[in-house]
Amino acid sequence: MDWKEVLRRRLATPNTGPNKKKSEQELKDEEMDLFTKYYSEWKGGRKNTNEFYKTIPRFYYRLPAEDEVLLQKLREESRAVFLQRKSRELLDNEELQNLWFLLDKHQTPPMIGEEAMINYENFLKVGEKAGPKCKQFFTAKVFAKLLHTDSYGRISIMQFFNYVMRKVWLHQTRIGLSLYDVAGQGYLRESKGKIKIQDILACSFLDDLLELRDEELSKESQETNWFSAPSALRVYGQYLNLDKDHNGMLSKEELSRYGTATMTNVFLDRVFQECLTYDGEMDYKTYLDFVLALENRKEPAALQYIFKLLDIENKGYLNVFSLNYFFRAIQELMKIHGQDPVSFQDVKDEIFDMVKPKDPLKISLQDLINSNQGDTVTTILIDLNGFWTYENREVLVANDNENSGDLDDT
């Protein structure tokens, strides 16, 4: 007879004697005492259930409060030691050079053009000689990932080495970013919000960030890299030039001179309605968000920023009304600049043809992202110069081809 049956029979036995009537609470207490007794016996003679609970591993540690300075410092130091240990586990430059030497020494002929190859047998030999830090890279899974159409069943040595380098760089970057994660929760934080470190590692801008490790990076590359000092100075210089009254903030009229100074007033109104401003003026942080979105309109986050401005009815989609609302401002600028008018109906049809939304009458943010035409669509609606460039794209391409032909002739 198991403990469940004993408990059932014991509880089913009627109360007898002079005090046979018990309160409901007494019956519940008696039931719990019996359950604890028989359950402990069934689990191996434990004296009480507290001993059983002690065997459960601890999985939660609360963060130190703001006034627990000592605990905070201890946590920071322990995290720093942990990250340093993780950093030492990564391949350094000398070890990477040694790995390249071993791979080159064990290449498997014949070569494909100038590309050295290696088969699985030699791949494993290199893994044995490369040391414990490299063990994670020399697996059948990694080899299969890089195996394509080689008739000898080999992989490219250069592709494999680039794979290892990329992994090492990613881990180095994660460790470096984690040093700024004071709370140790996997986020980088600032007053306006937070961003997950894993999202940073997965974003398309990480290559630009890693590019800055190259001390011999050309000036042209630095100027086009958003994270470089020249790029930061360029954006800040633009901000200072726009700030005509030198109060450290931008009014709508000052922001209207951004770029080619051809953004519509309707769009600028929406910027100042939706973005964080102070007494109707924009600070540098808000300006940075604005510039990031406009300079990277192919990125989903940038499209989300602009889409929110275009969604004047806050419905989560753009319809004919909202498209017409913004394009009328483009038409007005065209009249001011003496350009031939363009029919909204034609533009509307082109936009829907480009995006091909799921709903033929509504364009969602996801529709814009999926179409890979979001940058073109948003430009058409907010910037006269951008619309003119789109309208005359065939002529501009032809002119470019003619100019390149003239250069070839010389």
Side-chain angles (χ1 to χ4, degrees):
M1 184 182 301
D2 64 9
W3 68 271
K4 296 178 183 177
E5 181 62 21
V6 173
L7 179 60
R8 187 187 66 77
R9 292 189 178 187
R10 178 68 182 83
L11 293 175
T13 303
N15 292 314
T16 58
N19 300 319
K20 66 178 183 178
K21 193 166 185 178
K22 295 184 178 180
S23 68
E24 186 177 344
Q25 185 60 46
E26 287 175 328
L27 289 172
K28 285 184 178 180
D29 292 342
E30 183 179 352
E31 180 181 341
M32 180 55 69
D33 290 341
L34 285 169
F35 173 79
T36 302
K37 176 177 179 295
Y38 291 123
Y39 183 73
S40 298
E41 291 175 357
W42 179 71
K43 290 296 289 184
R46 292 187 177 91
K47 293 181 180 179
N48 55 62
T49 53
N50 287 335
E51 294 182 14
F52 172 70
Y53 294 142
K54 287 178 182 177
T55 64
I56 300 175
R58 185 174 180 180
F59 61 91
Y60 172 74
Y61 295 85
R62 73 173 182 84
L63 292 175
E66 291 184 4
D67 58 343
E68 295 176 319
V69 179
L70 187 59
L71 287 178
Q72 285 184 346
K73 291 295 182 185
L74 178 61
R75 178 182 173 82
E76 289 176 17
E77 286 299 318
S78 62
R79 286 192 69 252
V81 171
F82 169 76
L83 293 172
Q84 287 171 7
R85 190 179 80 238
K86 284 296 181 182
S87 182
R88 288 194 296 269
E89 292 174 2
L90 300 176
L91 294 168
D92 58 29
N93 288 337
E94 185 177 338
E95 289 165 329
L96 284 168
Q97 289 176 4
N98 181 56
L99 174 60
W100 175 256
F101 171 77
L102 288 171
L103 288 167
D104 186 58
K105 185 178 179 181
H106 289 79
Q107 60 177 278
T108 308
M111 293 180 66
I112 298 179
E114 297 182 356
E115 191 166 15
M117 311 291 285
I118 188 170
N119 63 17
Y120 188 60
E121 182 181 356
N122 286 340
F123 177 78
L124 293 179
K125 288 179 181 178
V126 174
E128 292 173 0
K129 297 178 180 180
K133 287 186 181 180
C134 294
K135 185 177 180 180
Q136 59 178 309
F137 302 115
F138 288 89
T139 65
K141 186 175 181 180
V142 171
F143 190 89
K145 276 183 180 179
L146 301 174
L147 184 62
H148 297 300
T149 57
D150 182 63
S151 57
Y152 297 94
R154 306 166 302 170
I155 63 172
S156 163
I157 286 177
M158 179 60 73
Q159 285 185 7
F160 172 71
F161 188 71
N162 286 338
Y163 170 83
V164 174
M165 293 264 292
R166 176 75 175 175
K167 285 287 187 180
V168 171
W169 286 342
L170 281 172
H171 285 296
Q172 285 176 340
T173 304
R174 178 164 190 169
I175 291 170
L177 293 174
S178 295
L179 290 171
Y180 297 96
D181 176 20
V182 179
Q185 297 296 292
Y187 293 90
L188 298 185
R189 304 163 190 269
E190 58 131 19
S191 58
K192 289 185 181 181
K194 63 182 181 180
I195 182 170
K196 212 172 186 179
I197 290 176
Q198 286 185 344
D199 291 340
I200 297 175
L201 296 174
C203 77
S204 59
F205 294 117
L206 185 61
D207 288 337
D208 291 339
L209 193 61
L210 294 176
E211 186 181 45
L212 298 180
R213 295 170 182 261
D214 184 0
E215 296 179 356
E216 298 179 358
L217 193 65
S218 67
K219 184 179 179 181
E220 292 76 13
S221 297
Q222 290 186 48
E223 289 174 349
T224 58
N225 188 312
W226 176 262
F227 302 99
S228 69
S231 177
L233 290 172
R234 172 183 65 83
V235 175
Y236 189 61
Q238 289 174 347
Y239 183 79
L240 294 178
N241 288 332
L242 292 173
D243 182 19
K244 293 301 181 183
D245 59 7
H246 306 294
N247 69 341
M249 309 280 276
L250 297 183
S251 65
K252 190 183 81 169
E253 193 276 329
E254 288 172 329
L255 185 63
S256 68
R257 292 193 292 271
Y258 172 81
T260 55
T262 52
M263 285 186 296
T264 66
N265 282 330
V266 169
F267 176 68
L268 291 172
D269 286 340
R270 289 292 295 155
V271 172
F272 279 81
Q273 286 169 8
E274 291 292 331
C275 298
L276 179 64
T277 57
Y278 303 88
D279 294 327
E281 294 201 316
M282 176 185 292
D283 71 351
Y284 185 59
K285 275 193 172 183
T286 304
Y287 174 75
L288 276 180
D289 292 338
F290 175 80
V291 174
L292 267 172
L294 293 188
E295 290 191 0
N296 300 279
R297 294 182 212 185
K298 290 182 179 292
E299 297 294 329
L303 287 176
Q304 183 178 18
Y305 176 98
I306 300 174
F307 186 89
K308 183 180 179 181
L309 302 176
L310 298 178
D311 183 14
I312 53 175
E313 298 177 287
N314 198 28
K315 290 183 175 180
Y317 59 82
L318 306 180
N319 54 20
V320 174
F321 173 80
S322 53
L323 298 181
N324 188 36
Y325 179 83
F326 284 96
F327 190 71
R328 277 184 304 176
I330 294 288
Q331 291 174 318
E332 290 173 7
L333 283 178
M334 294 180 74
K335 291 178 183 177
I336 293 172
H337 288 82
Q339 298 179 10
D340 294 333
V342 176
S343 166
F344 167 71
Q345 189 67 31
D346 293 340
V347 172
K348 182 261 296 181
D349 291 342
E350 283 191 52
I351 290 175
F352 274 90
D353 286 343
M354 281 190 286
V355 178
K356 296 180 175 59
K358 291 181 180 179
D359 187 322
L361 300 176
K362 303 173 183 177
I363 297 175
S364 69
L365 172 61
Q366 197 58 51
D367 290 330
L368 271 184
I369 295 171
N370 294 342
S371 70
N372 292 321
Q373 298 291 332
D375 57 326
T376 302
V377 171
T378 54
T379 299
I380 288 173
L381 295 172
I382 68 176
D383 186 351
L384 175 62
N385 185 61
F387 174 75
W388 186 88
T389 302
Y390 171 76
E391 277 290 285
N392 296 276
R393 58 194 181 280
E394 294 177 358
V395 176
L396 293 173
V397 170
N399 289 339
D400 286 342
N401 290 337
E402 288 179 9
N403 291 335
S404 61
D406 293 340
L407 289 174
D408 292 339
D409 293 338
T410 59

